[in-house]
Amino acid sequence: QVQLQESGPGLVKPSETLSLTCTVSGGSISDYYWSWIRQSPGRGLEWIGYIYYSGSTNYNPSLKSRVTMSVDTSKNQFSLKLSSVTAADTAMYYCASFRFSEGFEYWGQGSLVTVSS
Amino acid sequence: QSALTQPRSVSGSPGQSVTISCTGTSSDVGGYNYVSWYRQHPGKAPKLIIYDVNKRPSGVPDRFSGSKSGNTASLTISGLQAEDEADYYCCSYTRASTWDWVFGGGTKLTVL
């Protein structure tokens, strides 16, 4: 059973960069694509992007200019950086596994990030 | 990239069936069979319950079923149980630019 765990600061100042890491256990990072999805308070889900173990990425066009994802296969981890954050980026950030024909199967418990000075 | 359209809320009594719709366009729901559904209880992460329009992951009861007609996908829950009270989200691949994914706005299911 694949398990995911997000980690990172819970508070980020406006204009700074949000950084989160997702650690994968119970499976190999090469077995899936890896995605970040966020959920603003009281709102729906928003797909941020995905990364493959090879390093190939694809980002939500609405966030593309501010998003960078990376992967560390030696640590079974992948990461998210979101630059120039504003209050609108305050959200629960989830990491999740997916395959194109199998949906987002495994999810982390989520990491709440608040953007505030 | 617009969210897929779902009803804000639906309700049903225990034992009844409810259907949640998810309307998109020919560029997403109507164009591909990569529609999935997720259930989210308060304070919890979403859980995959349907993928590829109508397939259930291992462990998901057959009370949950999915279908699609044109640009609208549907999730049907039969034999409603109290534990089914949750938020439900649809998701579809969309060929907006490259391989992108879009979610619906979510539907709150209340079990009366």
Side-chain angles (χ1 to χ4, degrees):
Chain A
Q1 175 87 357
V2 174
Q3 293 185 312
L4 306 176
Q5 178 67 57
E6 304 91 348
S7 58
L11 181 64
V12 181
K13 290 182 168 56
S15 80
E16 295 190 344
T17 296
L18 176 160
S19 296
L20 293 172
T21 295
C22 183
T23 301
V24 180
S25 59
S28 171
I29 203 161
S30 62
D31 287 342
Y32 295 88
Y33 286 79
W34 303 97
S35 195
W36 289 96
I37 295 161
R38 71 180 183 179
Q39 185 171 33
S40 301
R43 303 286 298 276
L45 300 167
E46 180 180 29
W47 174 76
I48 298 172
Y50 71 69
I51 187 166
Y52 196 43
Y53 79 98
S54 62
S56 64
T57 57
N58 188 31
Y59 304 141
N60 185 324
S62 66
L63 298 169
K64 189 173 184 177
S65 63
R66 299 193 292 129
V67 171
T68 302
M69 294 184 186
S70 59
V71 62
D72 186 336
T73 55
S74 67
K75 295 181 178 179
N76 250 27
Q77 294 178 332
F78 61 101
S79 298
L80 167 71
K81 291 187 185 299
L82 181 66
S83 64
S84 304
V85 298
T86 69
D89 295 310
T90 293
M92 183 73 79
Y93 286 77
Y94 295 101
C95 57
S97 69
F98 90 100
R99 292 171 174 154
F100 284 98
S101 62
E102 297 180 6
F104 297 91
E105 183 174 7
Y106 299 106
W107 295 66
Q109 65 185 22
S111 180
L112 179 62
V113 178
T114 301
V115 178
S116 175
S117 56
Chain B
Q1 210 177 14
S2 300
L4 306 175
T5 300
Q6 298 180 232
R8 292 290 295 272
S9 63
V10 297
S11 62
S13 299
Q16 289 186 333
S17 296
V18 294
T19 297
I20 300 171
S21 62
C22 171
T23 301
T25 69
S26 58
S27 296
D28 39 64
V29 174
Y32 308 93
N33 287 327
Y34 293 144
V35 177
S36 53
W37 289 88
Y38 303 83
R39 179 167 80 170
Q40 186 180 34
H41 287 115
K44 300 293 187 181
K47 176 188 175 183
L48 176 67
I49 54 174
I50 294 287
Y51 67 96
D52 288 2
V53 175
N54 56 16
K55 298 177 182 176
R56 286 186 308 277
S58 174
V60 174
D62 59 7
R63 302 188 296 107
F64 294 87
S65 62
S67 62
K68 189 182 82 167
S69 177
N71 295 336
T72 298
S74 298
L75 171 71
T76 297
I77 308 171
S78 59
L80 270 180
Q81 300 179 2
E83 67 193 48
D84 297 329
E85 184 161 300
D87 293 323
Y88 291 82
Y89 294 90
C90 62
C91 177
S92 175
Y93 167 70
T94 176
R95 190 70 180 183
S97 53
T98 54
W99 287 82
D100 294 334
W101 299 89
V102 63
F103 285 91
T107 298
K108 170 66 176 178
L109 168 60
T110 300
V111 180
L112 302 172

